[in-house]
Structures are given as C-alpha cells and as structure tokens.
Amino acid sequence: MIFAHMVSDFLLQSNYIVKLRYSPESGKSLRGNLLHALVYFMVSLAFIINYMSVQIFFTALAIGAFHFLVDYIKSVLAIKSPFTKYSLSIFVVDQVVHMAFIIFMLLPKGFKAYIAAFSHQDVRDKFAVFKNMEYMDRLLVSGILIIAALWGTGIFIRIFFDHIKLKPYKRAINMNIKIREDLKETDGAPDGGFIIGILERLFIICSILLDLPQVIGFVLATKSIARFKRFDDDEFVELFIIGSFISFISAIIVGVIVKGLSTIPY
C-alpha cells in the first residue's frame, strides 16, 4: 500500500490532475481529487491482487477514501490561500498524514511484527530485521525508498525553492495578484531541472549499489560545468548548492539502505 501511494502520488499524478485539483472552480477541484483518489485505489488493487480478500479490499477502499479527504482539504486550503501550494510544511505534513494512516490500517495485518522487532534490535543490528524479511518485501521497501529519493526529493526541492522565491510575495499571491513569471520559472527546458535531478540521484544510487562511490564526484562536476555561466548570480549559487546537497544526501542515504537490504544480487 505504501508502494502504491508512492507510485500514485509521485509518478502517476499528472499536471492535468494537479491543475484540476487546485482549480478555483469547486466542481473541477472535486473532480480532480476524485480522479486522483481513483487512480490511487486502482493502483493499490493492482499491487494487492494476489492477497485479495474482502477485508483487504475494504482496507484499500478506506485508505483511498482517506487519501481523497486529506487531498481535498489541502486543495480547499490552497484555493482559499494560494500560497499554501508553495508551503513546504504543508507538503511534509500531507505525506506524513498519508503514511501514518496507511501504517495504522496495516498494523493488524503483520506490519506490527516488523515494528516490534525493529524497536527491540540493537542499533548495530537494525538491518538484520529487514534482511530477515521475504525477498519480495525487501524489494518493495527498496522500491519505496528509490521512488521517494528520485521523485519525492525532486518535488520537495521544487516546493522548497518556490517557497524561498515567492515568500516575499505571499500576500500578493493570497490576494490572487499575478506576479512576474520569471519569479516562478527558470530558463531551460520545461521540467529540465527536475528530470536532471532524477537522473543524478539515480546515478548516485547505482554508483553505491555497484561499489563505485568515487564516480559520484562526476555528477557534481557535470552540474557545475553546465551551470557555470550563472555562477555570478549569488542567489542562484546558493540555491544550486542547497539543492545539490539535498539531492546528494537523499540519494546516498537511500543507496546505502538499499545496498544493506541485499535486494540486488552481486
């Protein structure tokens, strides 16, 4: 279910659905959130089809309904206060609430055993709990972490940058006053920076899994050369360094954990 959440929220939520969800027209906003919740529910069913039972079906339905409720509340808040879309705290709280509810619903179904075992392990043996999991479970955990690192981190960085750039104009945004487009967008291909971020984190994770951490510096060197002409802009340099560190740290942490789970045969 957590894997289904990651896929639905980060991979399958298109710009069209996002625009519908945050439309000032209540009918469109409701339709956008219902469409997103339906995609979420269908993806969940696809992942649990082999374990299907009446109880599991209604558990997935309850999680999907809760997902719709939380997202619809978030959309209403964004319509009433548009700057909410650029709030990093709202993004983090939204994801924590979704995850907490999924875990709460899955506790009676075996997830509790992993939590109990993990909490009683010595710090040095934390990975032992996960290594004792079935291979498919470890593969799912790895998939969740990789999606979070590749797409989740990219969305986090994008919202973080938007929040920093637009915070001085918070009042104007909440009054629906249009601001200059160059404050929201940078030069380059649409979503170019986002895609580059995904590729750089994938490169770092693969480097760690293949025991080639020394090539990680190649990523930073490539990024620096590509952005060299803009290094005279102090604000850009600061955001570039912050974004690079967030990206690198998340990828390295996930790479180390996935390697520790021994999901990749060597």
Side-chain angles (χ1 to χ4, degrees):
M1 295 298 298
I2 296 176
F3 189 75
H5 169 81
M6 292 291 182
V7 171
S8 304
D9 244 22
F10 297 150
L11 272 69
L12 300 182
Q13 188 169 191
S14 65
N15 289 332
Y16 171 74
I17 293 178
V18 172
K19 287 180 180 179
L20 275 181
R21 286 183 55 206
Y22 294 109
S23 171
E25 299 178 32
S26 58
K28 285 186 177 180
S29 178
L30 180 63
R31 188 163 72 248
N33 281 288
L34 282 172
L35 181 58
H36 176 56
L38 179 61
V39 170
Y40 180 92
F41 179 62
M42 297 304 294
V43 171
S44 298
L45 291 183
F47 281 115
I48 63 176
I49 192 69
N50 291 333
Y51 312 96
M52 186 58 69
S53 67
V54 173
Q55 184 183 17
I56 290 177
F57 176 85
F58 281 105
T59 297
L61 185 62
I63 293 174
F66 183 80
H67 191 97
F68 163 77
L69 179 63
V70 172
D71 280 2
Y72 186 65
I73 292 173
K74 183 181 173 184
S75 296
V76 171
L77 289 174
I79 292 169
K80 292 184 177 180
S81 178
F83 189 75
T84 301
K85 290 186 293 185
Y86 310 111
S87 172
L88 198 60
S89 58
I90 293 292
F91 170 75
V92 173
V93 169
D94 173 66
Q95 293 301 318
V96 169
V97 169
H98 284 314
M99 292 296 182
F101 188 76
I102 292 172
I103 292 173
F104 172 76
M105 294 297 290
L106 295 179
L107 279 178
K109 298 166 182 61
F111 201 73
K112 186 185 293 184
Y114 287 120
I115 295 178
F118 187 81
S119 63
H120 286 88
Q121 283 286 330
D122 185 87
V123 175
R124 293 166 297 180
D125 299 323
K126 292 296 186 185
F127 276 126
V129 174
F130 296 107
K131 286 182 177 180
N132 292 332
M133 294 168 64
E134 294 292 335
Y135 178 75
M136 285 304 299
D137 291 336
R138 284 186 279 122
L139 201 60
L140 278 175
V141 171
S142 298
I144 290 168
L145 293 172
I146 290 172
I147 292 175
L150 299 186
W151 284 270
T153 300
I155 295 171
F156 178 90
I157 293 172
R158 175 185 284 175
I159 295 174
F160 179 66
F161 284 177
D162 285 344
H163 180 82
I164 291 176
K165 291 179 182 178
L166 302 177
K167 191 174 182 179
Y169 309 92
K170 180 178 179 179
R171 188 172 181 181
I173 292 171
N174 285 334
M175 293 172 66
N176 290 311
I177 298 174
K178 289 187 177 180
I179 61 173
R180 301 198 322 267
E181 288 298 315
D182 61 311
L183 292 173
K184 296 188 292 183
E185 298 179 1
T186 56
D187 297 333
D191 290 327
F194 183 77
I195 295 171
I196 290 171
I198 291 175
L199 293 175
E200 80 176 33
R201 289 186 290 278
L202 179 61
F203 184 89
I204 292 171
I205 292 172
C206 289
S207 299
I208 293 173
L209 294 178
L210 296 173
D211 282 325
L212 296 170
Q214 63 271 18
V215 302
I216 293 177
F218 170 78
V219 178
L220 183 59
T222 302
K223 287 181 65 176
S224 300
I225 293 171
R227 301 291 190 179
F228 182 74
K229 290 184 179 180
R230 300 192 64 186
F231 279 3
D232 290 334
D233 184 342
D234 290 340
E235 181 183 6
F236 172 81
V237 171
E238 290 172 358
L239 293 177
F240 176 83
I241 294 173
I242 292 170
S244 295
F245 270 112
I246 294 173
S247 184
F248 277 44
I249 290 170
S250 64
I252 290 171
I253 290 173
V254 168
V256 170
I257 294 175
V258 172
K259 185 175 176 63
L261 290 173
S262 302
T263 52
I264 308 299
Y266 297 100

